[in-house]
Amino acid sequence: MGKSRTKRFKRPQFSPTGDCQAEAAVAANGTEAEDEDGPAAELLEKLQHPSAEVRECACAGLARLVQQRPALPGLARRDAVRRLGPLLLDPSLAVRETAAGALRNLSACGGFEVCDDMVAKDIMTPLVALLKECSAGLDSNEMSPQEKKDESKNSIETIANEAVNVLWNICECNSRAVSIFNKEGCLEIVLKYLSRFSTNVDLAISVAYCLQTVTEDNPELLKSFSTPALQVLESAMLSPVSSMEFILLKTLVAGTVWNLRNIIPSMSQAEIINAILKILADVLELDMGETIIQMKEAETQRLKSAAESEETVEMANGHDLIEDEEMEELPQKRKIRRKTYTSDLLPTTDKELRETIALLTAQQTALEIIVNMCCNEDPSDDEWEELSSSDESDAFMESSFSDGGGQLLSPLCLSDEIHTALTNYLIPKKVFEKTTFPNSNAVEVCSRNPSWKPLIRKMNTIQCRALMCLQTLVSLLDVGHLGGVPALQTLAQHLSQLLFSQPDFDKNVDFLEAISSALRALLQTMASKNISQCMTPDQLMTLCKVGICSSNISVRVNVVSILGITGSVLAKEEGTLETLKTIGSFLLEVATKDPSLVVAGEALDALFDVFADGKEAEKASVQIKLLSMLREFQPIFKMRALLSSGLY
């Protein structure tokens, strides 16, 4: 029977704070352009305008336009990247900021093709130059506490934040960009930004995301990490600040430190692993449902107090405006309007929503890091690439952490350090708690508020990540460290209840893939330890009939494997003839009719396991004419395999 594979999570393709949901918003507002070249041409032309304010507004308009996918081809034809690139070094800081914001949205919403095109059109040259100028600007702008409120310094940090997000998005999608990152000394620059985490956590978070991307599978860059560089990471990771944004920062830095494990002295590795898993355990300890309810209530109270204060001020000042000073106020109004354009490019500034998003992202990231800590790439198994999950664009937060299709990978035997730390910090228990459906009260709160509604999807994503993480832990930990036989049986009942309590579970592909993966791993472990199975034959066949119709190959492989595992157990028991016949007939149909060679092969593998031994299995194989059907199918399968390999 095929070995259960564990998915190793890649960094999100899209910016977690970028807004790629604009297509839906634009459609809802009815503002999508009928001719995408019309506004594109006008905005691109204004990029050359002598007025800095016009250039800034043009960049802001492009930042919104690029979020509409129909507009992207027109922008590409008109060479938008080459026109925006020079504005990264515009004399006006406001233009630099909005140009970087436009390129950030373009790189986030355009995906791999657009990022490749940006690198091909040499966007990295002005981008790296901007990053270096921002770094130098921060050095020259070191000020006294009173001077730190100066707008120019705030602008430089804001520009740096936008630029780092562009860098992250491009490096995520393009290996040449990563090479340029290595050669141009970008590491030193972004670490300088990260060192400012105590005063600018937004910039630090952007850097942490970028570092997590560029340090993955990049041995050349690892050589550049000096002791001071590692100390910057350590300072951020061990920051005592406990706000939700700092929790996200520490989680991301923990992921980066894990990527650097090969350059950490062996004598320190156990300490580092413990520090990483303690951070992840603390993150998972927090109840996201209760947090959402509390933060939404806090937002409601804040807005209510603000409205009451505003009403009080209006009553004190009267409702009449001083019309004689209207002209004097115009410059200020114009400045506010410009800031409104700029805010379109930035994350939401609602304090409570922002912090809640940070927590949910931290929990999702923590689960992904745990999986990655327990897995190792196995690129030799090319056939498993076909089992990549469907692309998920969680645009509200990610994108990336839309989680793009990831390669399925073989689990490693856990090192003693990871094994011990996982157990000491109760990671299996905390992961198990995250596999439950989201708090219904939290879902209701979010559903009533448009700005909070995308958090429902985020909560569902966390549940799916937890199920995938559970699959990894069940596959790799000893039964004793999972709580013993009773805990496994409880877990089996829990997963069955999760699955069958949802009448339309077949419509949620991500959930079906995650829970079928967890069930497959659990049933494998239970079968190997001779622990009684949890699913009734009716439940088993319901799952398999639904799963085999899925367009997701991973789901089909999982349900076929589950059927094989369960069938091999039933083959050794008495009175299971009819169930074995049903299983055998189902697997034969899958082997002969499924369009995927991987799924067909898994079905054959399952057949061999189910009917390898046992009196009931022997009777069933005769009655369904298994041997003759396999002989008839053998040349067909062989031909399909040859065609697939290109040898025929």
Side-chain angles (χ1 to χ4, degrees), residues 105-140:
N105 285 2
L106 179 62
S107 60
C109 298
F112 287 93
E113 287 187 15
V114 169
C115 288
D116 290 343
D117 182 62
M118 292 174 73
V119 175
K121 291 179 177 175
D122 199 28
I123 196 62
M124 292 296 289
T125 296
L127 180 60
V128 171
L130 175 61
L131 290 164
K132 290 179 178 179
E133 285 198 17
C134 288
S135 177
L138 292 176
D139 285 341
S140 64

PDB file of all heavy atoms in Angstrom, residues 105-140:
ATOM      1  N   ASN A 105       0.895  45.641  -5.348  1.00  0.00           N
ATOM      2  CA  ASN A 105      -0.380  45.036  -5.726  1.00  0.00           C
ATOM      3  C   ASN A 105      -0.265  44.270  -7.037  1.00  0.00           C
ATOM      4  O   ASN A 105      -0.871  43.210  -7.204  1.00  0.00           O
ATOM      5  CB  ASN A 105      -1.453  46.116  -5.844  1.00  0.00           C
ATOM      6  CG  ASN A 105      -1.926  46.613  -4.485  1.00  0.00           C
ATOM      7  OD1 ASN A 105      -1.425  46.184  -3.450  1.00  0.00           O
ATOM      8  ND2 ASN A 105      -2.864  47.534  -4.486  1.00  0.00           N
ATOM      9  N   LEU A 106       0.515  44.821  -7.972  1.00  0.00           N
ATOM     10  CA  LEU A 106       0.701  44.146  -9.253  1.00  0.00           C
ATOM     11  C   LEU A 106       1.379  42.800  -9.054  1.00  0.00           C
ATOM     12  O   LEU A 106       0.958  41.779  -9.620  1.00  0.00           O
ATOM     13  CB  LEU A 106       1.535  45.025 -10.187  1.00  0.00           C
ATOM     14  CG  LEU A 106       1.839  44.458 -11.575  1.00  0.00           C
ATOM     15  CD1 LEU A 106       0.546  44.228 -12.352  1.00  0.00           C
ATOM     16  CD2 LEU A 106       2.769  45.399 -12.345  1.00  0.00           C
ATOM     17  N   SER A 107       2.425  42.761  -8.236  1.00  0.00           N
ATOM     18  CA  SER A 107       3.148  41.508  -8.007  1.00  0.00           C
ATOM     19  C   SER A 107       2.307  40.517  -7.216  1.00  0.00           C
ATOM     20  O   SER A 107       2.420  39.297  -7.412  1.00  0.00           O
ATOM     21  CB  SER A 107       4.461  41.787  -7.262  1.00  0.00           C
ATOM     22  OG  SER A 107       4.216  42.403  -6.003  1.00  0.00           O
ATOM     23  N   ALA A 108       1.436  41.022  -6.328  1.00  0.00           N
ATOM     24  CA  ALA A 108       0.597  40.136  -5.517  1.00  0.00           C
ATOM     25  C   ALA A 108      -0.552  39.556  -6.318  1.00  0.00           C
ATOM     26  O   ALA A 108      -0.853  38.371  -6.230  1.00  0.00           O
ATOM     27  CB  ALA A 108       0.060  40.884  -4.301  1.00  0.00           C
ATOM     28  N   CYS A 109      -1.200  40.403  -7.119  1.00  0.00           N
ATOM     29  CA  CYS A 109      -2.396  39.967  -7.841  1.00  0.00           C
ATOM     30  C   CYS A 109      -2.080  39.325  -9.183  1.00  0.00           C
ATOM     31  O   CYS A 109      -2.888  38.570  -9.711  1.00  0.00           O
ATOM     32  CB  CYS A 109      -3.337  41.152  -8.047  1.00  0.00           C
ATOM     33  SG  CYS A 109      -3.928  41.871  -6.503  1.00  0.00           S
ATOM     34  N   GLY A 110      -0.904  39.609  -9.728  1.00  0.00           N
ATOM     35  CA  GLY A 110      -0.552  39.069 -11.040  1.00  0.00           C
ATOM     36  C   GLY A 110      -0.010  37.661 -11.003  1.00  0.00           C
ATOM     37  O   GLY A 110      -0.053  36.952 -12.011  1.00  0.00           O
ATOM     38  N   GLY A 111       0.535  37.246  -9.853  1.00  0.00           N
ATOM     39  CA  GLY A 111       1.043  35.885  -9.742  1.00  0.00           C
ATOM     40  C   GLY A 111       2.383  35.676 -10.431  1.00  0.00           C
ATOM     41  O   GLY A 111       3.138  36.614 -10.704  1.00  0.00           O
ATOM     42  N   PHE A 112       2.690  34.421 -10.736  1.00  0.00           N
ATOM     43  CA  PHE A 112       4.007  34.044 -11.244  1.00  0.00           C
ATOM     44  C   PHE A 112       4.339  34.724 -12.566  1.00  0.00           C
ATOM     45  O   PHE A 112       5.456  35.215 -12.758  1.00  0.00           O
ATOM     46  CB  PHE A 112       4.082  32.520 -11.409  1.00  0.00           C
ATOM     47  CG  PHE A 112       4.171  31.787 -10.111  1.00  0.00           C
ATOM     48  CD1 PHE A 112       3.026  31.315  -9.480  1.00  0.00           C
ATOM     49  CD2 PHE A 112       5.386  31.573  -9.497  1.00  0.00           C
ATOM     50  CE1 PHE A 112       3.097  30.652  -8.272  1.00  0.00           C
ATOM     51  CE2 PHE A 112       5.479  30.904  -8.290  1.00  0.00           C
ATOM     52  CZ  PHE A 112       4.330  30.441  -7.678  1.00  0.00           C
ATOM     53  N   GLU A 113       3.396  34.743 -13.482  1.00  0.00           N
ATOM     54  CA  GLU A 113       3.680  35.313 -14.800  1.00  0.00           C
ATOM     55  C   GLU A 113       4.068  36.777 -14.697  1.00  0.00           C
ATOM     56  O   GLU A 113       5.033  37.222 -15.327  1.00  0.00           O
ATOM     57  CB  GLU A 113       2.467  35.148 -15.725  1.00  0.00           C
ATOM     58  CG  GLU A 113       2.249  33.724 -16.204  1.00  0.00           C
ATOM     59  CD  GLU A 113       1.140  33.654 -17.247  1.00  0.00           C
ATOM     60  OE1 GLU A 113       0.760  34.716 -17.777  1.00  0.00           O
ATOM     61  OE2 GLU A 113       0.663  32.546 -17.522  1.00  0.00           O
ATOM     62  N   VAL A 114       3.320  37.529 -13.935  1.00  0.00           N
ATOM     63  CA  VAL A 114       3.600  38.956 -13.791  1.00  0.00           C
ATOM     64  C   VAL A 114       4.928  39.177 -13.075  1.00  0.00           C
ATOM     65  O   VAL A 114       5.724  40.038 -13.468  1.00  0.00           O
ATOM     66  CB  VAL A 114       2.455  39.660 -13.045  1.00  0.00           C
ATOM     67  CG1 VAL A 114       2.854  41.078 -12.645  1.00  0.00           C
ATOM     68  CG2 VAL A 114       1.209  39.707 -13.918  1.00  0.00           C
ATOM     69  N   CYS A 115       5.197  38.390 -12.039  1.00  0.00           N
ATOM     70  CA  CYS A 115       6.467  38.540 -11.316  1.00  0.00           C
ATOM     71  C   CYS A 115       7.651  38.194 -12.219  1.00  0.00           C
ATOM     72  O   CYS A 115       8.695  38.863 -12.174  1.00  0.00           O
ATOM     73  CB  CYS A 115       6.465  37.670 -10.061  1.00  0.00           C
ATOM     74  SG  CYS A 115       5.386  38.304  -8.746  1.00  0.00           S
ATOM     75  N   ASP A 116       7.516  37.156 -13.021  1.00  0.00           N
ATOM     76  CA  ASP A 116       8.575  36.826 -13.978  1.00  0.00           C
ATOM     77  C   ASP A 116       8.803  37.979 -14.943  1.00  0.00           C
ATOM     78  O   ASP A 116       9.946  38.323 -15.274  1.00  0.00           O
ATOM     79  CB  ASP A 116       8.212  35.557 -14.760  1.00  0.00           C
ATOM     80  CG  ASP A 116       8.271  34.307 -13.897  1.00  0.00           C
ATOM     81  OD1 ASP A 116       8.885  34.362 -12.818  1.00  0.00           O
ATOM     82  OD2 ASP A 116       7.699  33.273 -14.308  1.00  0.00           O
ATOM     83  N   ASP A 117       7.701  38.570 -15.404  1.00  0.00           N
ATOM     84  CA  ASP A 117       7.798  39.693 -16.335  1.00  0.00           C
ATOM     85  C   ASP A 117       8.455  40.893 -15.661  1.00  0.00           C
ATOM     86  O   ASP A 117       9.256  41.607 -16.283  1.00  0.00           O
ATOM     87  CB  ASP A 117       6.400  40.064 -16.836  1.00  0.00           C
ATOM     88  CG  ASP A 117       6.427  41.200 -17.850  1.00  0.00           C
ATOM     89  OD1 ASP A 117       7.043  41.015 -18.919  1.00  0.00           O
ATOM     90  OD2 ASP A 117       5.843  42.257 -17.579  1.00  0.00           O
ATOM     91  N   MET A 118       8.153  41.109 -14.391  1.00  0.00           N
ATOM     92  CA  MET A 118       8.755  42.230 -13.668  1.00  0.00           C
ATOM     93  C   MET A 118      10.264  42.056 -13.550  1.00  0.00           C
ATOM     94  O   MET A 118      11.024  43.023 -13.708  1.00  0.00           O
ATOM     95  CB  MET A 118       8.116  42.350 -12.275  1.00  0.00           C
ATOM     96  CG  MET A 118       6.663  42.787 -12.312  1.00  0.00           C
ATOM     97  SD  MET A 118       5.855  42.774 -10.696  1.00  0.00           S
ATOM     98  CE  MET A 118       6.596  44.205  -9.918  1.00  0.00           C
ATOM     99  N   VAL A 119      10.696  40.837 -13.281  1.00  0.00           N
ATOM    100  CA  VAL A 119      12.138  40.584 -13.183  1.00  0.00           C
ATOM    101  C   VAL A 119      12.794  40.734 -14.552  1.00  0.00           C
ATOM    102  O   VAL A 119      13.873  41.321 -14.682  1.00  0.00           O
ATOM    103  CB  VAL A 119      12.403  39.186 -12.597  1.00  0.00           C
ATOM    104  CG1 VAL A 119      13.896  38.860 -12.616  1.00  0.00           C
ATOM    105  CG2 VAL A 119      11.874  39.102 -11.167  1.00  0.00           C
ATOM    106  N   ALA A 120      12.135  40.211 -15.588  1.00  0.00           N
ATOM    107  CA  ALA A 120      12.673  40.322 -16.942  1.00  0.00           C
ATOM    108  C   ALA A 120      12.815  41.781 -17.369  1.00  0.00           C
ATOM    109  O   ALA A 120      13.731  42.124 -18.138  1.00  0.00           O
ATOM    110  CB  ALA A 120      11.774  39.574 -17.925  1.00  0.00           C
ATOM    111  N   LYS A 121      11.930  42.646 -16.865  1.00  0.00           N
ATOM    112  CA  LYS A 121      11.990  44.070 -17.212  1.00  0.00           C
ATOM    113  C   LYS A 121      12.805  44.862 -16.194  1.00  0.00           C
ATOM    114  O   LYS A 121      12.691  46.084 -16.105  1.00  0.00           O
ATOM    115  CB  LYS A 121      10.569  44.620 -17.335  1.00  0.00           C
ATOM    116  CG  LYS A 121       9.850  44.050 -18.559  1.00  0.00           C
ATOM    117  CD  LYS A 121       8.436  44.555 -18.705  1.00  0.00           C
ATOM    118  CE  LYS A 121       7.803  43.993 -19.982  1.00  0.00           C
ATOM    119  NZ  LYS A 121       6.377  44.349 -20.111  1.00  0.00           N
ATOM    120  N   ASP A 122      13.626  44.145 -15.434  1.00  0.00           N
ATOM    121  CA  ASP A 122      14.637  44.745 -14.558  1.00  0.00           C
ATOM    122  C   ASP A 122      14.054  45.615 -13.457  1.00  0.00           C
ATOM    123  O   ASP A 122      14.616  46.650 -13.110  1.00  0.00           O
ATOM    124  CB  ASP A 122      15.637  45.562 -15.396  1.00  0.00           C
ATOM    125  CG  ASP A 122      16.930  45.821 -14.632  1.00  0.00           C
ATOM    126  OD1 ASP A 122      17.277  45.007 -13.760  1.00  0.00           O
ATOM    127  OD2 ASP A 122      17.579  46.856 -14.898  1.00  0.00           O
ATOM    128  N   ILE A 123      12.944  45.192 -12.875  1.00  0.00           N
ATOM    129  CA  ILE A 123      12.390  45.950 -11.761  1.00  0.00           C
ATOM    130  C   ILE A 123      13.287  45.861 -10.529  1.00  0.00           C
ATOM    131  O   ILE A 123      13.259  46.732  -9.646  1.00  0.00           O
ATOM    132  CB  ILE A 123      10.963  45.455 -11.409  1.00  0.00           C
ATOM    133  CG1 ILE A 123      10.246  46.488 -10.516  1.00  0.00           C
ATOM    134  CG2 ILE A 123      11.024  44.095 -10.705  1.00  0.00           C
ATOM    135  CD1 ILE A 123      10.043  47.817 -11.152  1.00  0.00           C
ATOM    136  N   MET A 124      14.128  44.811 -10.471  1.00  0.00           N
ATOM    137  CA  MET A 124      14.978  44.634  -9.295  1.00  0.00           C
ATOM    138  C   MET A 124      16.006  45.742  -9.152  1.00  0.00           C
ATOM    139  O   MET A 124      16.409  46.076  -8.038  1.00  0.00           O
ATOM    140  CB  MET A 124      15.665  43.269  -9.346  1.00  0.00           C
ATOM    141  CG  MET A 124      14.733  42.083  -9.177  1.00  0.00           C
ATOM    142  SD  MET A 124      13.938  42.021  -7.545  1.00  0.00           S
ATOM    143  CE  MET A 124      15.340  41.574  -6.511  1.00  0.00           C
ATOM    144  N   THR A 125      16.448  46.337 -10.271  1.00  0.00           N
ATOM    145  CA  THR A 125      17.466  47.391 -10.177  1.00  0.00           C
ATOM    146  C   THR A 125      16.956  48.604  -9.419  1.00  0.00           C
ATOM    147  O   THR A 125      17.563  49.018  -8.416  1.00  0.00           O
ATOM    148  CB  THR A 125      17.963  47.791 -11.579  1.00  0.00           C
ATOM    149  OG1 THR A 125      18.617  46.665 -12.170  1.00  0.00           O
ATOM    150  CG2 THR A 125      18.939  48.957 -11.498  1.00  0.00           C
ATOM    151  N   PRO A 126      15.835  49.229  -9.825  1.00  0.00           N
ATOM    152  CA  PRO A 126      15.346  50.366  -9.025  1.00  0.00           C
ATOM    153  C   PRO A 126      14.834  49.940  -7.653  1.00  0.00           C
ATOM    154  O   PRO A 126      14.916  50.718  -6.697  1.00  0.00           O
ATOM    155  CB  PRO A 126      14.216  50.945  -9.883  1.00  0.00           C
ATOM    156  CG  PRO A 126      13.771  49.839 -10.770  1.00  0.00           C
ATOM    157  CD  PRO A 126      15.006  49.036 -11.045  1.00  0.00           C
ATOM    158  N   LEU A 127      14.336  48.723  -7.536  1.00  0.00           N
ATOM    159  CA  LEU A 127      13.817  48.264  -6.244  1.00  0.00           C
ATOM    160  C   LEU A 127      14.942  48.144  -5.222  1.00  0.00           C
ATOM    161  O   LEU A 127      14.817  48.616  -4.086  1.00  0.00           O
ATOM    162  CB  LEU A 127      13.098  46.919  -6.411  1.00  0.00           C
ATOM    163  CG  LEU A 127      12.498  46.307  -5.144  1.00  0.00           C
ATOM    164  CD1 LEU A 127      11.458  47.238  -4.526  1.00  0.00           C
ATOM    165  CD2 LEU A 127      11.870  44.943  -5.451  1.00  0.00           C
ATOM    166  N   VAL A 128      16.046  47.525  -5.625  1.00  0.00           N
ATOM    167  CA  VAL A 128      17.188  47.390  -4.710  1.00  0.00           C
ATOM    168  C   VAL A 128      17.757  48.768  -4.383  1.00  0.00           C
ATOM    169  O   VAL A 128      18.127  49.050  -3.233  1.00  0.00           O
ATOM    170  CB  VAL A 128      18.266  46.473  -5.320  1.00  0.00           C
ATOM    171  CG1 VAL A 128      19.536  46.506  -4.477  1.00  0.00           C
ATOM    172  CG2 VAL A 128      17.751  45.047  -5.436  1.00  0.00           C
ATOM    173  N   ALA A 129      17.813  49.639  -5.394  1.00  0.00           N
ATOM    174  CA  ALA A 129      18.308  50.999  -5.151  1.00  0.00           C
ATOM    175  C   ALA A 129      17.424  51.723  -4.137  1.00  0.00           C
ATOM    176  O   ALA A 129      17.923  52.438  -3.253  1.00  0.00           O
ATOM    177  CB  ALA A 129      18.358  51.772  -6.463  1.00  0.00           C
ATOM    178  N   LEU A 130      16.106  51.536  -4.244  1.00  0.00           N
ATOM    179  CA  LEU A 130      15.188  52.154  -3.294  1.00  0.00           C
ATOM    180  C   LEU A 130      15.405  51.613  -1.889  1.00  0.00           C
ATOM    181  O   LEU A 130      15.428  52.373  -0.910  1.00  0.00           O
ATOM    182  CB  LEU A 130      13.740  51.911  -3.729  1.00  0.00           C
ATOM    183  CG  LEU A 130      12.649  52.396  -2.772  1.00  0.00           C
ATOM    184  CD1 LEU A 130      12.730  53.908  -2.586  1.00  0.00           C
ATOM    185  CD2 LEU A 130      11.263  51.993  -3.277  1.00  0.00           C
ATOM    186  N   LEU A 131      15.562  50.311  -1.775  1.00  0.00           N
ATOM    187  CA  LEU A 131      15.796  49.708  -0.459  1.00  0.00           C
ATOM    188  C   LEU A 131      17.067  50.264   0.181  1.00  0.00           C
ATOM    189  O   LEU A 131      17.103  50.538   1.387  1.00  0.00           O
ATOM    190  CB  LEU A 131      15.891  48.182  -0.597  1.00  0.00           C
ATOM    191  CG  LEU A 131      14.579  47.464  -0.930  1.00  0.00           C
ATOM    192  CD1 LEU A 131      14.854  46.046  -1.416  1.00  0.00           C
ATOM    193  CD2 LEU A 131      13.656  47.437   0.287  1.00  0.00           C
ATOM    194  N   LYS A 132      18.105  50.441  -0.630  1.00  0.00           N
ATOM    195  CA  LYS A 132      19.365  50.981  -0.112  1.00  0.00           C
ATOM    196  C   LYS A 132      19.204  52.438   0.292  1.00  0.00           C
ATOM    197  O   LYS A 132      19.741  52.874   1.320  1.00  0.00           O
ATOM    198  CB  LYS A 132      20.465  50.831  -1.166  1.00  0.00           C
ATOM    199  CG  LYS A 132      20.892  49.383  -1.409  1.00  0.00           C
ATOM    200  CD  LYS A 132      21.969  49.275  -2.471  1.00  0.00           C
ATOM    201  CE  LYS A 132      22.415  47.825  -2.654  1.00  0.00           C
ATOM    202  NZ  LYS A 132      23.454  47.679  -3.714  1.00  0.00           N
ATOM    203  N   GLU A 133      18.452  53.202  -0.502  1.00  0.00           N
ATOM    204  CA  GLU A 133      18.240  54.606  -0.166  1.00  0.00           C
ATOM    205  C   GLU A 133      17.422  54.746   1.117  1.00  0.00           C
ATOM    206  O   GLU A 133      17.690  55.620   1.942  1.00  0.00           O
ATOM    207  CB  GLU A 133      17.554  55.335  -1.321  1.00  0.00           C
ATOM    208  CG  GLU A 133      18.474  55.629  -2.491  1.00  0.00           C
ATOM    209  CD  GLU A 133      17.921  56.712  -3.409  1.00  0.00           C
ATOM    210  OE1 GLU A 133      17.003  57.454  -2.990  1.00  0.00           O
ATOM    211  OE2 GLU A 133      18.407  56.816  -4.543  1.00  0.00           O
ATOM    212  N   CYS A 134      16.429  53.892   1.268  1.00  0.00           N
ATOM    213  CA  CYS A 134      15.639  53.928   2.507  1.00  0.00           C
ATOM    214  C   CYS A 134      16.508  53.605   3.710  1.00  0.00           C
ATOM    215  O   CYS A 134      16.387  54.235   4.774  1.00  0.00           O
ATOM    216  CB  CYS A 134      14.472  52.951   2.420  1.00  0.00           C
ATOM    217  SG  CYS A 134      13.141  53.460   1.321  1.00  0.00           S
ATOM    218  N   SER A 135      17.373  52.627   3.542  1.00  0.00           N
ATOM    219  CA  SER A 135      18.270  52.256   4.631  1.00  0.00           C
ATOM    220  C   SER A 135      19.182  53.416   4.999  1.00  0.00           C
ATOM    221  O   SER A 135      19.357  53.746   6.182  1.00  0.00           O
ATOM    222  CB  SER A 135      19.109  51.040   4.213  1.00  0.00           C
ATOM    223  OG  SER A 135      20.032  50.693   5.224  1.00  0.00           O
ATOM    224  N   ALA A 136      19.748  54.060   3.974  1.00  0.00           N
ATOM    225  CA  ALA A 136      20.606  55.219   4.228  1.00  0.00           C
ATOM    226  C   ALA A 136      19.801  56.366   4.826  1.00  0.00           C
ATOM    227  O   ALA A 136      20.284  57.086   5.710  1.00  0.00           O
ATOM    228  CB  ALA A 136      21.278  55.659   2.927  1.00  0.00           C
ATOM    229  N   GLY A 137      18.572  56.542   4.362  1.00  0.00           N
ATOM    230  CA  GLY A 137      17.729  57.603   4.882  1.00  0.00           C
ATOM    231  C   GLY A 137      17.408  57.428   6.346  1.00  0.00           C
ATOM    232  O   GLY A 137      17.360  58.395   7.111  1.00  0.00           O
ATOM    233  N   LEU A 138      17.186  56.184   6.761  1.00  0.00           N
ATOM    234  CA  LEU A 138      16.915  55.927   8.169  1.00  0.00           C
ATOM    235  C   LEU A 138      18.146  56.226   9.015  1.00  0.00           C
ATOM    236  O   LEU A 138      18.042  56.727  10.136  1.00  0.00           O
ATOM    237  CB  LEU A 138      16.467  54.475   8.363  1.00  0.00           C
ATOM    238  CG  LEU A 138      15.098  54.121   7.773  1.00  0.00           C
ATOM    239  CD1 LEU A 138      14.816  52.631   7.945  1.00  0.00           C
ATOM    240  CD2 LEU A 138      13.991  54.937   8.422  1.00  0.00           C
ATOM    241  N   ASP A 139      19.326  55.900   8.484  1.00  0.00           N
ATOM    242  CA  ASP A 139      20.563  56.190   9.213  1.00  0.00           C
ATOM    243  C   ASP A 139      20.762  57.686   9.395  1.00  0.00           C
ATOM    244  O   ASP A 139      21.149  58.162  10.459  1.00  0.00           O
ATOM    245  CB  ASP A 139      21.768  55.609   8.462  1.00  0.00           C
ATOM    246  CG  ASP A 139      21.846  54.101   8.616  1.00  0.00           C
ATOM    247  OD1 ASP A 139      21.234  53.571   9.556  1.00  0.00           O
ATOM    248  OD2 ASP A 139      22.520  53.451   7.790  1.00  0.00           O
ATOM    249  N   SER A 140      20.483  58.439   8.335  1.00  0.00           N
ATOM    250  CA  SER A 140      20.712  59.885   8.391  1.00  0.00           C
ATOM    251  C   SER A 140      19.615  60.615   9.131  1.00  0.00           C
ATOM    252  O   SER A 140      19.743  61.788   9.443  1.00  0.00           O
ATOM    253  CB  SER A 140      20.815  60.458   6.970  1.00  0.00           C
ATOM    254  OG  SER A 140      19.590  60.288   6.282  1.00  0.00           O
TER     255      SER A 140
END
